[in-house]
Amino acid sequence: MTNNSPVSSNAYEYLDNVGPEERARLEAVRRYRLVDQPSEEAYDRIAFVAAAIFDTPIATVSLVEQDRVWLAACEGLSGVREVGKEPGLCASVIAQDDVYVINNAAVDPRTLEHPLVRGELGLRFYAAAPIRTHDGYRLGTVNVIDNRPREATPRQLRALEHLASLVADELELRLMVIRSAAAEQRMRETVS
């Protein structure tokens, strides 16, 4: 579940060229040690439920890094674990607290030039809720994607917010395990 390898002194070099707020957000993303890890069932289930609630072919649980978006879970896109951040839909979502909805990306000025809209995927509908940590950082999203325009109901959007909250809760449980393992390791080293 966790990455127990020690963190090298240059592990966070990517933080050197960002402002203090973004640096703190990126450090929050990293503290959970989920990026670049194998997928986990808890996040896969959340992506599955999101796709089922919206009846969309694609749903993801994403974490926004400085230069990429890591897909902790991805329903409907096999073999995809990361996408570029710019121009980013997920990056737009984490800039706000509310659910972000695009009903028809082919006519929405925010997305007309987006590669997922213009490219092979043909994204038309996108709805995402930011994943907010208990200390206020927006790390990524739970989102749903379709290649046809659609409207989301208020109940669906509220469910998406709840799923994002569940991801935040799972991340906190993950952090407790990481910290417990580190404390146990320190205790063993002290006793030895």
Side-chain angles (χ1 to χ4, degrees), residues 15-149:
L15 295 175
D16 292 341
N17 297 321
V18 297
E21 287 179 23
E22 180 64 358
R23 181 176 298 123
R25 191 195 70 77
L26 289 167
E27 287 172 350
V29 169
R30 284 299 206 184
R31 74 179 169 210
Y32 297 100
R33 298 184 190 171
L34 189 58
V35 174
D36 293 326
Q37 297 299 308
S39 64
E40 295 181 17
E41 189 175 345
Y43 306 108
D44 290 339
R45 285 192 304 248
I46 289 170
F48 176 85
V49 170
I53 289 168
F54 282 82
D55 192 27
T56 59
I58 300 169
T60 74
V61 175
S62 70
L63 297 174
V64 179
E65 280 274 6
Q66 183 177 4
D67 298 322
R68 65 185 172 145
V69 176
W70 177 256
L71 303 179
C74 188
E75 176 70 26
L77 288 176
S78 60
V80 179
R81 290 307 309 269
E82 68 180 66
V83 295
K85 182 177 171 185
E86 296 300 332
L89 293 169
C90 293
S92 297
V93 176
I94 66 165
Q96 62 184 38
D97 283 325
D98 299 327
V99 175
Y100 186 89
V101 180
I102 297 168
N103 295 314
N104 186 351
V107 297
D108 191 309
R110 299 173 291 180
T111 57
L112 288 174
E113 299 301 318
H114 195 283
L116 295 177
V117 175
R118 297 177 58 99
E120 186 177 324
L121 181 63
L123 181 147
R124 291 300 175 262
F125 173 77
Y126 176 84
I131 299 167
R132 286 184 295 275
T133 63
H134 297 278
D135 55 351
Y137 294 105
R138 292 178 297 253
L139 305 183
T141 69
V142 174
N143 63 69
V144 292
I145 298 169
D146 202 345
N147 59 1
R148 63 182 178 88

